Amino acid sequence: MAKRGGFPGGGMPGNMNNLMKQAQRMQRQMEENQKAMETKEFTAKAGGGAVEVTVTGKKEVTKVKLSEEVVDPDDIEMLEDLVMAATNEALRMADEANAELMNKMTGGLSLGGGLPF
């Protein structure tokens, strides 16, 4: 007479156990990759290289470099625009690299629900 319900041996079936191990391995790998991404730097230039901004994967600005010729006291607005453009581009690069990493880790699997993964 067969048992009703449950799994033979009283434990998880082999496939479920393997899936759990695989999920744990993936989670560790994602955490390691995320830490590496946080320390990675992204540099963008604006104004033909007159302004250069570097950000980390954590979206922290770590460096701003200005060429002498772009520093014009009579045109502060242009310098502000160039700094803003370079910063936004560096942040976009960081976002894109993070999205590529997540896509690679999940194999393009959509987690749905509009979650930012």
Side-chain angles (χ1 to χ4, degrees):
M1 186 172 188
K3 281 185 173 180
R4 295 184 64 179
F7 295 110
M12 278 195 237
N15 286 345
M16 182 62 88
N17 199 18
N18 287 340
L19 282 173
M20 292 297 288
K21 285 180 182 178
Q22 204 172 7
Q24 289 170 344
R25 198 170 30 250
M26 246 182 91
Q27 183 178 1
R28 276 193 308 274
Q29 196 174 14
M30 285 179 82
E31 288 169 359
E32 290 169 8
N33 286 336
Q34 192 61 41
K35 284 180 187 174
M37 179 62 68
E38 288 176 359
T39 60
K40 189 170 181 173
E41 291 189 329
F42 303 89
T43 301
K45 297 177 182 181
V51 173
E52 183 177 300
V53 175
T54 302
V55 301
T56 66
K58 287 172 57 174
K59 299 181 183 178
E60 295 175 341
V61 176
T62 58
K63 182 172 127 183
V64 175
K65 185 176 178 184
L66 307 173
S67 296
E68 267 186 48
E69 62 269 10
V70 78
V71 182
D72 180 356
D74 295 327
D75 195 1
I76 297 294
E77 285 182 12
M78 180 191 66
L79 178 57
E80 291 170 343
D81 288 345
L82 292 174
V83 170
M84 185 172 50
T87 302
N88 285 334
E89 177 61 16
L91 290 170
R92 187 201 60 74
M93 292 166 67
D95 282 342
E96 186 176 284
N98 192 38
E100 284 178 26
L101 172 67
M102 292 307 291
N103 192 34
K104 186 182 349 173
M105 292 300 301
T106 62
L109 174 69
S110 174
L111 298 176
L115 298 174
F117 298 109

